Amino acid sequence: MKEEVRKAIFPLAGHGTRFLPMTKASPKEMLPLVDKPVVQYVVEEAVASGIGEIIMITGRGKRAIEDHFDISYELEDVLMKKGKLALLEEVRKISDLAEIVYTRQKESKGLGHAVLCGRQLIGSEPFAVALGDEVIDGPEPALSQLVSVFHRVNGPVIGVQRVPKADVPFYGIAAGQQLEEGLIRIDSLVEKPSVEDAPSDLAVIGRYVLTADIFEILETQQPGVGGEIQLTDALRTLSGKRPIYAYEVKGHRYDTGDKLGFLKATVQFGLKNPDLGGVFREYLERILSLSDGAEGR
Ligand code: G1P
C-alpha cells in the first residue's frame, strides 16, 4: 500500500552563525526574499508537494517564525478598516497555509537531534525533512520530486545536487550505484569530508523523505563532525540495514543562510518579481555599466 507523505519536519533551531551579526536576535529563516521570509517559500514548497502538516523544531530567538504563521487579528483589523483588501487576503493566506505545530530543541545538538525532537509528532509514518534556509527554485517543487521517487523506490530518499569539488567539505556527500539518470542507491555517505576523502561531488541538500526507522538509530547516534548528532551518520547506519537512495533534485538551490547565497537569491527573486523585475533589471544594468564605480540611483 502506498503510504502518503503528509508531514514534514523543519529544523529551525540553528544559531545562524554564518550570518552574524544579523542573526543575533532575529532568525535567519525570516530574512526576506523581496517580500516574503525565506521559510515561507519552504512551507509553500511543502504544501505544493502535498504535505499539509509541518512540525517546526525551533529554539530560543525564533518566536518571529511562530508569529509569522499565526493569525494577526490586530493587523487584519487595521487592513480591513483601511480597505486594503488585497493585503488582507495575502496576510490571511499565510496563517491558513498549513497545519503547523512547534516544538523546541532545547540544546544545539545537531541536525540529527533536531529531527529526533519530532519523533512523537511523526509517529510511524514516512515524513519529509526540509531545511528552512534553503530555497529551491525549480520546475517542480523539490519535495514533490523526492516524494515521487520515494513512492517508486519504496525507501528513504535524500535530495542531492552536484557541487564544485572545493565545496564538498561543507556538505554531506553521497555516492553509490547509479540506477537511472539522477537516481543512485547509496553505498557511501559522509558528513563534511575533506576534498581527498569525499566519495563523490553529490552534496546532500536540505531535503529528505525518510521513514520512521531512522528515529531508533538517532536515539543512540553518537556525536560526529562538530560534536553534533548528524543526520548523515544515522542515514549511513540505516543504509546498512535497508536500501536508501539519493536523487538529483532539479532546480536552482539558494543557501540563504550564507551571506553570498542570500545576495544571489535576492537578485534572482527580485528579477523574477512581476512588479519590480523590470525596474530592478534596469537598475542592475545601469550600475554594472558604470565603469567609474559611482553608485547608480
Ligand atoms: C546540513 C547537513 C549536511 C547538508 C547541509 C545542506 O549541514 O548536515 O549533510 O549537506 O545541511 O545544507 P549544515 O549546513 O547544517 O552544517
Side-chain angles (χ1 to χ4, degrees), residues 8-79:
I9 293 180
F10 279 38
L12 301 168
H15 292 302
T17 42
R18 289 181 298 158
F19 221 127
L20 280 167
M22 148 58 211
T23 44
K24 189 177 171 206
S26 310
K28 59 179 173 175
E29 296 84 2
M30 288 301 291
L31 282 163
L33 289 182
V34 186
D35 56 0
K36 279 194 293 193
V38 168
V39 66
Q40 188 179 331
Y41 288 90
V42 187
V43 170
E44 287 171 352
E45 177 197 318
V47 171
S49 306
I51 298 167
E53 289 179 48
I54 293 174
I55 296 152
M56 295 202 171
I57 314 289
T58 67
R60 264 179 297 280
K62 301 280 178 163
R63 281 284 297 278
I65 299 175
E66 295 182 38
D67 289 343
H68 183 74
F69 291 102
D70 198 1
I71 293 176
S72 174
Y73 289 108
E74 220 178 278
L75 176 63
E76 289 189 11
D77 190 49
V78 170
L79 293 174

Coordinates of all heavy atoms in Angstrom, one line a residue, residues 8-79:
A8 N 6.0 17.1 7.5 CA 7.4 17.4 7.3 C 8.0 18.0 8.6 O 7.3 18.7 9.3 CB 7.6 18.4 6.2
I9 N 9.2 17.7 8.9 CA 10.0 18.4 10.0 C 10.8 19.5 9.4 O 11.5 19.3 8.4 CB 10.9 17.3 10.7 CG1 10.0 16.3 11.4 CG2 11.8 18.0 11.7 CD1 10.8 15.2 12.1
F10 N 10.7 20.7 10.0 CA 11.6 21.8 9.6 C 12.5 22.1 10.8 O 12.1 22.6 11.8 CB 10.7 23.0 9.4 CG 10.1 23.1 8.0 CD1 9.5 22.1 7.4 CD2 9.9 24.4 7.4 CE1 8.9 22.2 6.2 CE2 9.3 24.5 6.2 CZ 8.8 23.4 5.5
P11 N 13.8 21.7 10.7 CA 14.7 22.0 11.8 C 15.1 23.5 11.7 O 15.7 23.9 10.8 CB 15.9 21.1 11.6 CG 15.5 20.1 10.5 CD 14.4 20.9 9.7
L12 N 14.7 24.3 12.8 CA 14.9 25.7 12.7 C 15.6 26.3 13.9 O 15.6 27.5 14.1 CB 13.5 26.4 12.6 CG 12.6 26.0 11.4 CD1 11.2 26.5 11.6 CD2 13.2 26.5 10.1
A13 N 16.3 25.4 14.6 CA 16.8 25.9 15.9 C 18.3 26.4 15.8 O 18.8 26.9 16.8 CB 16.7 24.8 17.0
G14 N 18.8 26.3 14.6 CA 20.3 26.7 14.4 C 20.5 28.2 14.8 O 19.6 29.0 14.7
H15 N 21.8 28.5 15.1 CA 22.1 29.8 15.6 C 22.4 30.8 14.4 O 22.5 32.0 14.6 CB 23.3 29.8 16.5 CG 23.0 29.1 17.8 ND1 22.1 29.6 18.6 CD2 23.6 28.1 18.4 CE1 22.0 28.8 19.7 NE2 22.9 27.9 19.6
G16 N 22.5 30.3 13.2 CA 22.8 31.2 12.1 C 24.1 31.9 12.2 O 24.2 33.1 11.8
T17 N 25.1 31.2 12.7 CA 26.4 31.8 12.9 C 27.1 32.4 11.6 O 27.8 33.3 11.6 CB 27.4 30.9 13.6 OG1 27.3 29.6 12.9 CG2 27.2 30.7 15.1
R18 N 26.7 31.7 10.5 CA 27.3 32.2 9.2 C 26.7 33.6 8.8 O 27.2 34.2 7.9 CB 27.0 31.2 8.1 CG 27.7 29.9 8.2 CD 27.4 29.0 7.0 NE 26.0 28.6 7.0 CZ 25.3 28.2 5.9 NH1 25.9 28.1 4.8 NH2 24.1 27.9 6.0
F19 N 25.7 34.0 9.5 CA 25.0 35.3 9.1 C 25.0 36.3 10.2 O 24.2 37.2 10.3 CB 23.6 35.0 8.6 CG 23.2 35.8 7.4 CD1 22.7 35.2 6.3 CD2 23.4 37.2 7.4 CE1 22.4 35.9 5.1 CE2 23.0 38.0 6.3 CZ 22.5 37.3 5.1
L20 N 26.0 36.1 11.2 CA 26.1 37.1 12.3 C 26.7 38.4 11.7 O 27.4 38.4 10.7 CB 27.0 36.6 13.4 CG 26.3 35.6 14.3 CD1 27.4 34.9 15.2 CD2 25.3 36.3 15.2
P21 N 26.4 39.6 12.2 CA 25.5 39.8 13.4 C 24.0 39.9 13.2 O 23.3 39.9 14.1 CB 26.0 41.2 13.9 CG 26.5 41.9 12.7 CD 27.0 40.8 11.8
M22 N 23.6 39.8 11.9 CA 22.2 39.9 11.6 C 21.3 38.9 12.5 O 20.2 39.2 12.9 CB 22.0 39.6 10.1 CG 20.7 39.0 9.6 SD 19.2 39.7 10.0 CE 18.1 38.5 10.2
T23 N 21.9 37.7 12.7 CA 21.1 36.6 13.3 C 21.2 36.6 14.9 O 20.8 35.7 15.5 CB 21.6 35.3 12.8 OG1 23.0 35.3 12.8 CG2 21.1 35.0 11.4
K24 N 21.8 37.7 15.4 CA 22.0 37.8 16.9 C 20.6 37.7 17.6 O 20.4 37.0 18.5 CB 22.7 39.1 17.3 CG 23.1 39.1 18.7 CD 23.8 40.3 19.1 CE 24.0 40.3 20.6 NZ 24.2 41.7 21.1
A25 N 19.6 38.4 17.1 CA 18.3 38.4 17.7 C 17.2 38.1 16.8 O 16.0 38.0 17.2 CB 18.0 39.8 18.3
S26 N 17.5 37.8 15.5 CA 16.4 37.5 14.5 C 16.8 36.2 13.8 O 17.9 36.0 13.5 CB 16.3 38.6 13.5 OG 16.3 39.8 14.1
P27 N 15.8 35.4 13.5 CA 16.0 34.1 12.9 C 16.4 34.3 11.4 O 15.9 35.2 10.7 CB 14.7 33.4 12.9 CG 13.8 34.2 13.7 CD 14.3 35.6 13.9
K28 N 17.4 33.5 11.0 CA 17.9 33.7 9.6 C 16.7 33.3 8.6 O 16.7 33.7 7.5 CB 19.1 32.8 9.3 CG 18.9 31.3 9.6 CD 20.1 30.5 9.3 CE 19.9 29.1 9.8 NZ 21.0 28.1 9.4
E29 N 15.9 32.4 9.1 CA 14.7 31.9 8.2 C 13.7 33.0 8.0 O 12.8 32.9 7.1 CB 14.0 30.7 8.9 CG 14.9 29.5 9.1 CD 15.8 29.5 10.3 OE1 15.7 30.5 11.1 OE2 16.5 28.5 10.5
M30 N 13.8 34.1 8.7 CA 12.9 35.3 8.5 C 13.5 36.3 7.6 O 12.9 37.4 7.4 CB 12.5 35.9 9.8 CG 11.5 35.0 10.6 SD 10.0 34.6 9.8 CE 9.3 36.3 9.8
L31 N 14.7 36.1 7.0 CA 15.2 37.1 6.1 C 14.3 37.1 4.9 O 13.8 36.1 4.4 CB 16.6 36.6 5.6 CG 17.8 36.8 6.6 CD1 19.0 36.0 6.2 CD2 18.2 38.3 6.5
P32 N 14.1 38.3 4.3 CA 13.1 38.3 3.2 C 13.8 38.1 1.8 O 14.9 38.5 1.6 CB 12.7 39.8 3.2 CG 13.8 40.6 3.8 CD 14.6 39.6 4.7
L33 N 13.1 37.4 1.0 CA 13.4 37.4 -0.5 C 12.3 38.2 -1.1 O 11.2 37.8 -1.2 CB 13.4 36.0 -1.0 CG 14.6 35.1 -0.6 CD1 14.5 33.7 -1.2 CD2 16.0 35.7 -0.8
V34 N 12.7 39.4 -1.4 CA 11.8 40.5 -1.8 C 10.8 40.8 -0.7 O 11.1 41.7 0.1 CB 11.0 40.2 -3.2 CG1 10.2 41.4 -3.6 CG2 12.1 39.9 -4.3
D35 N 9.6 40.1 -0.6 CA 8.7 40.5 0.4 C 8.2 39.3 1.3 O 7.3 39.5 2.1 CB 7.5 41.2 -0.2 CG 6.8 40.4 -1.3 OD1 7.3 39.3 -1.5 OD2 5.9 40.9 -1.9
K36 N 8.8 38.2 1.1 CA 8.4 37.0 1.9 C 9.6 36.4 2.6 O 10.7 36.3 2.0 CB 7.8 35.9 1.0 CG 6.4 36.1 0.6 CD 5.8 34.9 0.0 CE 6.4 34.4 -1.3 NZ 5.7 33.4 -2.1
P37 N 9.4 36.0 3.9 CA 10.6 35.4 4.5 C 10.9 34.0 3.9 O 10.0 33.3 3.4 CB 10.1 35.2 6.0 CG 8.6 35.3 5.9 CD 8.2 36.1 4.8
V38 N 12.2 33.7 3.9 CA 12.7 32.5 3.3 C 11.9 31.3 3.7 O 11.5 30.5 2.9 CB 14.2 32.3 3.7 CG1 14.7 31.0 3.3 CG2 15.0 33.4 3.1
V39 N 11.6 31.2 5.0 CA 10.9 30.0 5.5 C 9.5 29.8 4.9 O 9.0 28.7 4.7 CB 10.8 29.9 7.0 CG1 10.0 31.0 7.6 CG2 10.4 28.6 7.6
Q40 N 8.9 30.9 4.5 CA 7.5 30.8 3.8 C 7.6 30.1 2.5 O 6.8 29.4 2.1 CB 6.9 32.2 3.7 CG 5.4 32.1 3.2 CD 4.7 33.4 3.1 OE1 5.0 34.4 3.8 NE2 3.8 33.5 2.2
Y41 N 8.7 30.4 1.8 CA 8.9 29.8 0.5 C 9.0 28.2 0.7 O 8.5 27.4 -0.1 CB 10.2 30.2 -0.2 CG 10.2 31.6 -0.8 CD1 10.6 32.7 0.0 CD2 9.8 31.9 -2.1 CE1 10.5 34.0 -0.5 CE2 9.8 33.1 -2.6 CZ 10.1 34.2 -1.8 OH 10.1 35.5 -2.3
V42 N 9.7 27.8 1.8 CA 9.9 26.4 2.0 C 8.6 25.8 2.5 O 8.2 24.7 2.0 CB 11.0 26.2 3.1 CG1 11.3 24.7 3.1 CG2 12.3 26.9 2.7
V43 N 7.8 26.5 3.3 CA 6.4 26.0 3.6 C 5.6 25.8 2.4 O 4.9 24.8 2.2 CB 5.7 26.9 4.7 CG1 4.3 26.5 4.9 CG2 6.5 26.8 6.0
E44 N 5.6 26.8 1.5 CA 4.8 26.8 0.3 C 5.3 25.6 -0.6 O 4.4 24.9 -1.2 CB 4.9 28.1 -0.5 CG 4.2 29.2 0.2 CD 4.4 30.6 -0.4 OE1 5.3 30.8 -1.3 OE2 3.7 31.5 0.0
E45 N 6.6 25.3 -0.6 CA 7.1 24.1 -1.4 C 6.5 22.9 -0.8 O 6.1 22.0 -1.5 CB 8.6 24.1 -1.3 CG 9.2 22.9 -2.0 CD 10.6 22.6 -1.6 OE1 11.4 23.6 -1.5 OE2 11.0 21.4 -1.4
A46 N 6.5 22.7 0.5 CA 6.0 21.5 1.2 C 4.5 21.4 0.8 O 4.0 20.3 0.4 CB 6.2 21.6 2.7
V47 N 3.7 22.5 1.0 CA 2.3 22.4 0.7 C 2.0 22.0 -0.8 O 1.2 21.2 -1.1 CB 1.6 23.8 1.1 CG1 0.2 23.8 0.6 CG2 1.7 24.0 2.6
A48 N 2.8 22.6 -1.7 CA 2.7 22.3 -3.1 C 3.1 20.8 -3.4 O 2.8 20.3 -4.5 CB 3.5 23.2 -3.9
S49 N 3.7 20.2 -2.4 CA 4.1 18.8 -2.6 C 3.2 17.8 -1.9 O 3.5 16.7 -1.7 CB 5.6 18.6 -2.0 OG 6.5 19.5 -2.6
G50 N 2.0 18.4 -1.4 CA 1.0 17.6 -0.8 C 1.2 17.4 0.7 O 0.6 16.5 1.3
I51 N 2.2 18.1 1.3 CA 2.5 18.0 2.7 C 1.8 19.1 3.5 O 2.2 20.3 3.3 CB 4.0 18.0 2.9 CG1 4.6 16.8 2.2 CG2 4.4 18.0 4.4 CD1 6.1 16.9 2.0
G52 N 0.8 18.8 4.2 CA 0.0 19.8 4.9 C 0.3 20.0 6.4 O -0.3 20.9 7.0
E53 N 1.1 19.1 6.9 CA 1.4 19.2 8.4 C 2.8 19.4 8.6 O 3.7 18.6 8.1 CB 1.0 17.9 9.1 CG -0.5 17.7 9.2 CD -0.9 16.4 9.9 OE1 -0.3 16.1 11.0 OE2 -1.7 15.6 9.3
I54 N 3.1 20.5 9.2 CA 4.6 20.9 9.4 C 4.9 21.0 10.9 O 4.2 21.6 11.7 CB 4.9 22.2 8.6 CG1 4.7 21.9 7.1 CG2 6.3 22.7 8.9 CD1 4.8 23.0 6.2
I55 N 6.0 20.3 11.2 CA 6.5 20.3 12.6 C 7.7 21.1 12.6 O 8.8 20.8 12.0 CB 6.8 18.8 13.0 CG1 5.5 18.0 13.0 CG2 7.5 18.8 14.4 CD1 5.7 16.6 12.8
M56 N 7.6 22.3 13.2 CA 8.8 23.2 13.2 C 9.5 23.0 14.5 O 9.0 23.1 15.6 CB 8.3 24.6 13.1 CG 7.7 24.9 11.8 SD 7.7 26.7 11.3 CE 7.1 26.6 9.6
I57 N 10.8 22.7 14.4 CA 11.7 22.5 15.6 C 12.4 23.8 15.8 O 13.3 24.1 15.0 CB 12.7 21.3 15.3 CG1 12.0 20.1 14.7 CG2 13.4 21.0 16.6 CD1 11.1 19.3 15.6
T58 N 12.0 24.5 16.8 CA 12.5 25.9 17.0 C 13.4 25.9 18.2 O 13.7 24.9 18.8 CB 11.4 26.9 17.1 OG1 10.7 26.6 18.3 CG2 10.4 26.8 16.0
G59 N 13.9 27.1 18.5 CA 14.7 27.3 19.7 C 14.6 28.7 20.2 O 13.7 29.5 19.6
R60 N 15.4 29.1 21.1 CA 15.4 30.5 21.6 C 15.6 31.5 20.4 O 16.4 31.2 19.5 CB 16.5 30.7 22.6 CG 16.0 30.5 24.0 CD 17.2 30.7 25.0 NE 18.2 29.7 24.8 CZ 18.1 28.5 25.3 NH1 17.0 28.1 26.0 NH2 19.0 27.5 25.1
G61 N 14.9 32.6 20.5 CA 15.1 33.6 19.5 C 14.3 33.4 18.2 O 14.6 34.0 17.2
K62 N 13.4 32.4 18.1 CA 12.8 32.0 16.9 C 11.3 32.3 16.9 O 10.5 31.9 16.1 CB 13.0 30.5 16.6 CG 14.4 30.1 16.5 CD 15.0 30.5 15.1 CE 16.5 30.1 15.0 NZ 17.0 30.0 13.7
R63 N 10.9 33.1 17.9 CA 9.4 33.4 18.0 C 8.8 34.1 16.8 O 7.7 34.0 16.5 CB 9.2 34.4 19.3 CG 9.3 33.6 20.6 CD 8.0 32.9 20.8 NE 6.8 33.8 20.9 CZ 6.5 34.5 22.0 NH1 7.2 34.3 23.1 NH2 5.4 35.2 22.0
A64 N 9.7 34.9 16.1 CA 9.1 35.6 14.9 C 8.6 34.6 13.9 O 7.6 35.0 13.2 CB 10.3 36.5 14.3
I65 N 9.1 33.4 13.9 CA 8.6 32.4 12.9 C 7.1 32.1 13.3 O 6.2 32.0 12.4 CB 9.5 31.2 12.8 CG1 10.9 31.6 12.4 CG2 8.9 30.1 11.9 CD1 11.9 30.4 12.4
E66 N 6.9 31.8 14.6 CA 5.6 31.5 15.0 C 4.6 32.6 14.8 O 3.5 32.4 14.3 CB 5.6 31.1 16.5 CG 6.4 29.9 16.8 CD 6.4 29.5 18.3 OE1 5.4 29.6 18.9 OE2 7.5 29.0 18.8
D67 N 5.0 33.8 15.1 CA 4.2 35.0 14.8 C 3.8 35.1 13.4 O 2.7 35.5 13.0 CB 4.8 36.3 15.3 CG 4.9 36.3 16.8 OD1 4.2 35.5 17.5 OD2 5.7 37.1 17.4
H68 N 4.8 34.8 12.5 CA 4.5 35.0 11.1 C 3.4 34.1 10.6 O 2.6 34.5 9.7 CB 5.8 34.7 10.3 CG 5.7 35.0 8.8 ND1 5.6 36.2 8.2 CD2 5.5 34.1 7.8 CE1 5.4 36.1 6.9 NE2 5.4 34.9 6.6
F69 N 3.4 32.8 11.1 CA 2.4 31.9 10.6 C 1.1 31.9 11.4 O 0.2 31.1 11.2 CB 3.0 30.5 10.5 CG 4.0 30.3 9.4 CD1 5.4 30.3 9.7 CD2 3.7 30.3 8.1 CE1 6.3 30.3 8.7 CE2 4.6 30.2 7.1 CZ 6.0 30.2 7.4
D70 N 1.0 32.8 12.4 CA -0.1 32.9 13.3 C -1.1 33.9 12.6 O -0.8 34.6 11.7 CB 0.3 33.4 14.6 CG -0.7 33.1 15.7 OD1 -1.8 32.5 15.4 OD2 -0.4 33.5 16.9
I71 N -2.3 33.9 13.2 CA -3.3 34.9 12.8 C -2.9 36.2 13.5 O -2.6 36.2 14.7 CB -4.7 34.5 13.2 CG1 -5.1 33.3 12.4 CG2 -5.7 35.7 13.0 CD1 -6.5 32.7 12.7
S72 N -2.9 37.3 12.8 CA -2.6 38.6 13.4 C -3.9 39.5 13.4 O -4.2 40.2 12.4 CB -1.5 39.3 12.7 OG -1.3 40.6 13.2
Y73 N -4.7 39.3 14.4 CA -6.1 40.0 14.4 C -5.9 41.5 14.3 O -6.7 42.1 13.5 CB -6.8 39.7 15.8 CG -7.3 38.2 15.8 CD1 -6.6 37.3 16.7 CD2 -8.3 37.8 15.0 CE1 -7.1 36.0 16.7 CE2 -8.8 36.5 15.1 CZ -8.1 35.6 15.9 OH -8.5 34.3 16.0
E74 N -5.0 42.0 15.0 CA -4.8 43.5 15.0 C -4.5 44.0 13.6 O -5.1 44.9 13.1 CB -3.7 43.8 16.0 CG -3.9 45.0 16.8 CD -2.7 45.3 17.7 OE1 -2.7 44.6 18.8 OE2 -1.9 46.1 17.4
L75 N -3.5 43.4 13.0 CA -3.1 43.8 11.7 C -4.3 43.6 10.7 O -4.6 44.5 9.9 CB -1.9 42.9 11.2 CG -1.4 43.1 9.8 CD1 -0.9 44.6 9.6 CD2 -0.3 42.1 9.5
E76 N -5.0 42.5 10.8 CA -6.1 42.2 9.9 C -7.2 43.3 10.1 O -7.8 43.7 9.1 CB -6.7 40.8 10.1 CG -5.8 39.7 9.7 CD -6.4 38.3 9.7 OE1 -7.6 38.2 9.9 OE2 -5.6 37.4 9.5
D77 N -7.4 43.7 11.3 CA -8.4 44.7 11.6 C -8.0 46.0 10.9 O -8.8 46.7 10.3 CB -8.5 44.9 13.1 CG -9.7 45.7 13.5 OD1 -10.8 45.4 13.0 OD2 -9.5 46.6 14.3
V78 N -6.7 46.4 11.1 CA -6.3 47.6 10.5 C -6.4 47.6 9.0 O -6.9 48.6 8.4 CB -4.8 47.9 10.9 CG1 -4.2 49.0 10.1 CG2 -4.6 48.1 12.4
L79 N -6.0 46.5 8.4 CA -6.1 46.4 6.9 C -7.5 46.5 6.4 O -7.9 47.1 5.4 CB -5.4 45.1 6.4 CG -3.9 45.0 6.6 CD1 -3.4 43.7 6.3 CD2 -3.2 46.1 5.8

